Amino acid sequence: MQDSLWQAVLGEIELSVSRASFVTWFKNTRLLRYKDEILVIGVPNVFIKQQLEQKYNSLVVSTLSKNGISPQRVEYKIHSGITPSRKEEDDTVILSDKSANQVSSRPNVTTLTHTYRQGLNDRYTFENFIVGSGNELAYAACQAIASSPGTKYNPLFVYGGVGIGKTHLIQAVGNAVRGNKPGAHVVYVSTEQFVQEFLDAIRFKKNTDFAGYYRSADVLIIDDVQFIAGKEKTQEEFFHTFNALHQANKQIIISSDKPPKDIPTLEERLRSRFAQGMAIDMQNPDFETRCAIVQTKANTIGATLPPEVVDFLANLIQTNIRELEGALNQLLAFCDMRGLEPDIGVATSLLGGNRTRPKHISAKQIVERTAKHFQIPLEDILGPKRDKDIVVPRQIAMYILRSELHLSFPKIARELGRKDHTTAIHSVEKIEKEANYDSDIRSAITEIKERLYV
Ligand code: ADP
Ligand code: MG
């Protein structure tokens, strides 16, 4: 088993625990070994080891088994090679005594502190963010901010559903600012963490350090601000931080799953502060964007996916890009492990089953939809005509019957009014091949399929 498979397992775990738990307990783990039925996972410190053993082991075991791995035993081992990146350490100034208080008897306090505070992740950049109709406005605003922070759109408030790239985009701003100006103090914090740090700061009488840290930011990025709902004291603290930064023309970037007006129990004065700059709605990615994301991620890993697999994944998961990535990783890891090519057959058998399609599609619907797409009468596609502009649609219909419904060739032939099933075999093979280089055929297939499922 390779680390890529562990990454796929992590992708799924990420979906079933809270973000804070994932970051704290799972993010810095690696697969160290899988041999003789024993799977060893490397963890950064004893604290995380204990949590994983005591609290999360069954989740780990069941997610592994969903991915086809059932070792006799899973072990967690402290592994010195796993430390957060330098950048994350730079962000970790004020809370070291807080963590020391929590785990004073443990030797590797610093590592724990670092893991606890996320900071910016280098992985999130503008370069690897795919721009499409749902996110282009937010992208443009973020780029403008990155090139001159604090001058326009202040604050920038980005909102939208789960897994559509809010965190990626706002962290990309942070990374770009740091890249342009290495000394800039860029602070990224999740709201959960902000709340926690604030409470701890009060408890350990460190609120001046806390306030000082956030107020010294050149760019403050605060993620998932909806979690501030109902937390009055934190809201008040945040209000002051906000004002101090805003007055000093420091950039503030906020993300949320809903617009300011819909966050319950948000103090009015904060609400109006949020509305002062620019609020941008990030929408679900369209089909093309989803395809581009799958294709790009696969290429980055060095995998090549046949176009129909790209389409399949993009059809399978339509809103949450994190899930889309998870499905891709799962497929690639599965193929890698078994030495298979990631073709449509493997993809459907691995992923097709556990997510039901919006509705059941019949052979008749596919043939009708194809005829309609090419604007030819149904009786022509089913009839004897051999003109090219009838033959190609007929072959495409056969191909879709095969790839979507997995019908046998004799059955496919019958659906198109043919007697000889070898015609169906040839047609399917031909389209399969042509779809690799003919973008017209590829987009026709994609469009027909997309319409089938909406
Ligand atoms: P959110 O914060 O909105 O819940 P994230 O920013 O965490 O979503 O995105 C989820 C995953 O999808 C991340 O791994 C991110 O890199 C990826 N992602 C989201 N949108 C895009 C995009 N447009 N291009 C490339 N990757 C994306
Ligand atoms: Mg997020």
Side-chain angles (χ1 to χ4, degrees), residues 400-446:
I400 299 178
L401 287 173
R402 180 73 181 171
S403 65
E404 293 304 287
L405 302 184
H406 309 288
L407 298 187
S408 68
F409 290 114
K411 182 127 202 336
I412 291 174
R414 274 201 303 280
E415 289 296 340
L416 273 304
R418 316 282 110 180
K419 292 206 180 71
D420 184 1
H421 78 279
T422 56
T423 319
I425 297 178
H426 291 315
S427 303
V428 171
E429 273 172 4
K430 174 168 170 280
I431 298 299
E432 210 156 41
K433 222 180 287 145
E434 284 177 359
N436 283 319
Y437 52 81
D438 188 333
S439 61
D440 286 344
I441 292 202
R442 200 158 59 229
S443 59
I445 296 171
T446 307

Side-chain angles (χ1 to χ4, degrees), residues 159-422:
Y159 64 94
V162 180
I164 60 168
K166 301 183 295 296
T167 299
H168 186 138
L169 200 50
I170 61 181
Q171 288 215 12
V173 180
N175 282 319
V177 170
R178 265 192 190 167
N180 295 339
K181 211 171 145 221
H185 189 204
V186 176
V187 176
Y188 165 86
V189 67
S190 69
T191 299
E192 284 148 310
Q193 193 182 327
F194 185 85
V195 171
Q196 191 58 46
E197 288 186 13
F198 174 62
L199 297 178
D200 286 345
I202 295 178
R203 196 154 52 134
F204 298 110
K205 307 212 167 20
K206 290 279 176 191
N207 18 350
T208 45
D209 287 359
F210 172 84
Y213 176 71
Y214 284 101
R215 288 173 205 184
S216 69
D218 295 312
V219 178
L220 173 63
I221 305 171
I222 177 149
D223 205 353
D224 288 319
V225 85
Q226 72 273 10
F227 291 124
I228 210 168
K231 309 214 166 56
E232 273 168 44
K233 280 265 179 298
T234 315
Q235 287 192 20
E236 188 178 330
E237 175 62 30
F238 185 60
F239 179 75
H240 295 304
T241 306
F242 186 104
N243 286 345
L245 290 174
H246 198 260
Q247 270 158 23
N249 291 327
K250 304 297 186 184
Q251 181 70 47
I252 303 160
I253 304 172
I254 302 164
S255 89
S256 164
D257 67 350
K258 41 178 109 52
K261 69 176 173 37
D262 294 343
I263 302 177
T265 71
L266 184 65
E267 270 188 68
E268 197 41 52
R269 56 182 182 167
L270 260 187
R271 201 186 305 276
S272 69
R273 285 291 181 280
F274 290 171
Q276 221 167 27
M278 165 126 145
I280 300 181
D281 167 13
M282 280 176 83
Q283 285 156 7
N284 291 338
D286 60 16
F287 183 75
E288 268 123 56
T289 313
R290 300 195 305 272
C291 285
I293 288 172
V294 171
Q295 194 81 66
T296 314
K297 305 255 164 183
N299 290 347
T300 322
I301 312 172
T304 357
L305 287 183
E308 68 270 19
V309 173
V310 175
D311 288 6
F312 169 81
L313 289 169
N315 266 321
L316 184 68
I317 293 156
Q318 310 203 336
T319 57
N320 187 330
I321 296 168
R322 191 174 302 125
E323 277 187 27
L324 187 60
E325 281 181 348
L328 170 68
N329 286 336
Q330 206 181 332
L331 173 66
L332 292 178
F334 182 86
C335 289
D336 198 35
M337 195 172 51
R338 292 181 169 70
L340 301 170
E341 285 302 313
D343 61 18
I344 190 71
V346 180
T348 32
S349 62
L350 182 71
L351 303 165
N354 49 17
R355 275 172 254 256
T356 42
R357 286 254 160 109
K359 58 182 169 190
H360 183 73
I361 305 293
S362 70
K364 191 158 166 275
Q365 278 169 301
I366 290 179
V367 178
E368 282 172 355
R369 173 50 59 195
T370 311
K372 197 160 183 180
H373 176 86
F374 290 102
Q375 301 182 324
I376 54 176
L378 192 59
E379 54 273 30
D380 280 358
I381 206 171
L382 297 173
K385 283 199 185 151
R386 308 266 332 136
D387 320 22
K388 185 158 186 272
D389 50 356
I390 307 276
V391 171
V392 174
R394 192 181 290 142
Q395 290 170 333
I396 289 179
M398 291 187 184
Y399 169 82
I400 299 178
L401 287 173
R402 180 73 181 171
S403 65
E404 293 304 287
L405 302 184
H406 309 288
L407 298 187
S408 68
F409 290 114
K411 182 127 202 336
I412 291 174
R414 274 201 303 280
E415 289 296 340
L416 273 304
R418 316 282 110 180
K419 292 206 180 71
D420 184 1
H421 78 279
T422 56

